């Protein structure tokens, strides 16, 4: 089936350290998967962090980046130096690219950055 | 700025009671969605709608009804709330092939 698996949380990192949150997907019924990272800050709704709709491409935003790797079916989120303000829950999502864009979400990874 | 407003933000309901969660958008998006999130699970799609007066079943529609009386409003209805429906519910809007915009969520506790 179609699904997303991501790093189990919670994850705690010290400020200025590097971060990687792993995401792998299964898209057995989706011809052209679209991949997304959403972030939910405390008290807020989910908001788009970055998206990539073409295999082999990299998306980036706010110092985060992720590369759509079709061979390894992965879309890992990385940041070279995290800040305390990056503390949030991060969701990897797989979209089917159709008109109504059904999404398959990972369970979310809670990140705490220690100053 | 796109806006999706959910009400209430939290609610405690009694088992067997009726619960209505409301969602209002100012995005003028065609698509509206209701997701639920349980601890240890990703968001799962309950119902969605792509036009007023029409709703479609998502992946987990059992125990839920949806209503889209207008472009701007989309409600999720639990006719007989059960303990298993305790979760956080998210409304979202979008257009075809774009990102979706989420509300802040409604925390529902059924006791």
């Amino acid at each position: 089936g179609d699904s997303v698996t991501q790093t189990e949380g919670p994850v705690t990192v010290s400020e200025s350290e590097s971060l990687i949150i792993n995401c792998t997907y299964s898209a057995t019924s989706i011809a052209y998967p679209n991949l997304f990272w959403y972030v939910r800050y405390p008290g807020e709704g989910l908001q788009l962090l970055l998206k990539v709709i073409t295999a082999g491409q990299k998306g980036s935003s706010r110092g985060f980046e992720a590369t759509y790797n079709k061979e390894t079916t992965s879309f890992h989120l990385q940041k070279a130096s995290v800040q305390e303000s990056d503390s949030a829950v991060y969701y990897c999502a797989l979209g089917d690219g159709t008109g109504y864009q059904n999404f398959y979400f990972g369970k979310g990874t809670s990140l705490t950055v220690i100053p | 700025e796109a806006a999706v407003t959910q009400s209430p933000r939290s609610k405690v309901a009694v088992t067997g009671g009726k619960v209505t969660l409301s969602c209002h958008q100012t995005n003028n998006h065609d698509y509206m969605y209701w997701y639920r999130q349980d601890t240890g699970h990703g968001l799962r799609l309950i119902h969605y709608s792509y036009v007023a007066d029409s709703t479609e079943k998502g992946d987990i529609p059992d125990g839920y009804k949806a209503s889209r009386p207008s472009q701007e409003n989309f409600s999720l209805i639990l006719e007989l709330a059960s303990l298993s429906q305790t979760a956080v519910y998210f409304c979202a809007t979008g257009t075809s092939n774009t990102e979706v915009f989420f509300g802040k969520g409604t925390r529902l506790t059924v006791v």
Side-chain angles (χ1 to χ4, degrees):
Chain A
D2 304 314
S3 65
V4 171
T5 303
Q6 65 180 97
T7 299
E8 294 277 340
V11 172
T12 302
V13 179
S14 296
E15 202 164 34
S16 78
E17 289 189 347
S18 63
L19 169 73
I20 180 166
I21 299 176
N22 291 325
C23 173
T24 57
Y25 68 90
S26 171
T28 56
S29 66
I30 300 173
Y32 301 101
N34 296 174
L35 295 172
F36 303 79
W37 277 102
Y38 277 84
V39 58
R40 185 184 182 200
Y41 297 103
E44 300 294 321
L46 283 78
Q47 55 185 269
L48 181 67
L49 179 60
L50 55 88
K51 70 175 180 181
V52 180
I53 62 173
T54 304
Q57 298 296 309
K58 180 170 69 178
S60 61
S61 174
R62 309 180 208 175
F64 290 90
E65 58 182 35
T67 300
Y68 181 166
N69 189 319
K70 186 176 180 180
E71 286 68 39
T72 60
T73 64
S74 65
F75 192 56
H76 307 319
L77 182 68
Q78 302 182 72
K79 189 172 187 181
S81 176
V82 297
Q83 303 171 346
E84 189 177 1
S85 58
D86 293 326
S87 296
V89 181
Y90 293 81
Y91 297 87
C92 184
L94 165 69
D96 62 10
T98 62
Y100 103 86
Q101 186 76 280
N102 189 18
F103 287 90
Y104 300 88
F105 285 88
K107 296 180 180 180
T109 301
S110 177
L111 171 67
T112 300
V113 179
I114 300 172
Chain B
E1 181 76 23
V4 181
T5 305
Q6 294 184 230
S7 61
R9 293 294 314 280
S10 67
K11 183 174 181 63
V12 178
V14 176
T15 301
K18 182 176 181 178
V19 176
T20 300
L21 307 183
S22 300
C23 179
H24 177 80
Q25 63 146 329
T26 59
N27 302 335
N28 197 33
H29 287 164
D30 292 330
Y31 295 96
M32 296 189 74
Y33 310 82
W34 276 107
Y35 289 90
R36 68 175 277 175
Q37 183 175 30
D38 303 272
T39 302
H41 288 85
L43 280 73
R44 293 181 288 173
L45 182 64
I46 306 170
H47 285 287
Y48 66 98
S49 168
Y50 54 84
V51 67
D53 295 322
S54 177
T55 63
E56 305 292 334
K57 294 180 179 180
D59 298 323
I60 53 165
D62 293 344
Y64 302 93
K65 290 173 56 178
S67 173
R68 180 97 181 264
S70 64
Q71 173 84 344
E72 298 78 21
N73 295 293
F74 191 39
S75 297
L76 185 68
I77 302 151
L78 291 66
E79 295 279 4
L80 295 170
S82 66
L83 295 175
S84 65
Q85 293 177 311
T86 293
V88 178
Y89 293 83
F90 290 97
C91 177
T93 74
T95 60
S96 61
N97 291 325
T98 67
E99 67 178 281
V100 290
F101 296 87
F102 285 85
K104 295 185 177 184
T106 295
R107 183 173 297 277
L108 174 66
T109 303
V110 182
V111 298

